[in-house]
Amino acid sequence: RGGSNVGKLFYYGGSILTVEWTNQHGCGTNPNVDCNLVLQYMCEDSNPDLRDGTTTDTIPDDPDDCVDGDCSKDMRYGMHETFEYYYQCKMRERNKGLFAASQNINRDVATHTRQNSGG
């Protein structure tokens, strides 16, 4: 099986990384369309416990629910940021200026978004 979560890629300073995507909604020169594309990434040197996306189960809020109380080493859960970074996001008020569409966002913390109204 191929895909972004299979195998390893290595990039070094000065490398050129090709990125391809498809927009769900329009972008372009139409004056009625406004869009921003944001690429977020994290390197393994700033988060050595970064996972490859194979496991997507959410890390529990209580570290005691993880093996040996260490969620960063518990491979049953997906991780694309450190537990501490996620916790800071969970404690921060969400940006109420972001488009919420028809979603009923359950709480006013940054982990609750239009894409994940339940946090």
Side-chain angles (χ1 to χ4, degrees), residues 49 51 55 57 59-60 63-79:
D49 299 313
R51 310 282 159 75
T55 301
D57 292 339
I59 294 173
D64 290 335
D65 292 336
C66 294
V67 173
D68 297 326
D70 186 357
C71 295
S72 66
K73 303 295 183 204
D74 192 337
M75 300 304 284
R76 296 178 298 166
Y77 303 106
M79 180 181 288

Side-chain angles (χ1 to χ4, degrees):
R1 171 181 168 316
S4 62
N5 65 337
V6 176
K8 294 222 178 241
L9 297 174
F10 296 93
Y11 292 94
Y12 301 95
S15 295
I16 296 174
L17 173 63
T18 301
V19 178
E20 297 180 23
W21 69 89
T22 301
N23 291 347
Q24 182 178 1
H25 303 289
C27 281
T29 58
N30 183 327
N32 295 320
V33 176
D34 181 31
C35 72
N36 294 299
L37 301 176
V38 178
L39 300 178
Q40 292 181 297
Y41 61 92
M42 180 177 280
C43 296
E44 196 170 356
D45 61 348
S46 58
N47 185 5
D49 299 313
L50 197 61
R51 310 282 159 75
D52 65 6
T54 303
T55 301
T56 58
D57 292 339
T58 302
I59 294 173
D61 290 335
D62 184 354
D64 290 335
D65 292 336
C66 294
V67 173
D68 297 326
D70 186 357
C71 295
S72 66
K73 303 295 183 204
D74 192 337
M75 300 304 284
R76 296 178 298 166
Y77 303 106
M79 180 181 288
H80 61 271
E81 60 197 1
T82 64
F83 181 81
E84 292 76 20
Y85 189 87
Y86 174 76
Y87 185 77
Q88 289 172 358
C89 180
K90 192 169 181 151
M91 296 296 108
R92 186 172 52 248
E93 183 178 11
R94 72 179 178 86
N95 180 349
K96 294 178 186 161
L98 296 175
F99 178 67
S102 60
Q103 293 294 316
N104 180 18
I105 299 176
N106 296 331
R107 293 183 56 210
D108 286 334
V109 295
T111 56
H112 289 64
T113 66
R114 171 171 60 98
Q115 288 84 9
N116 186 10
S117 59

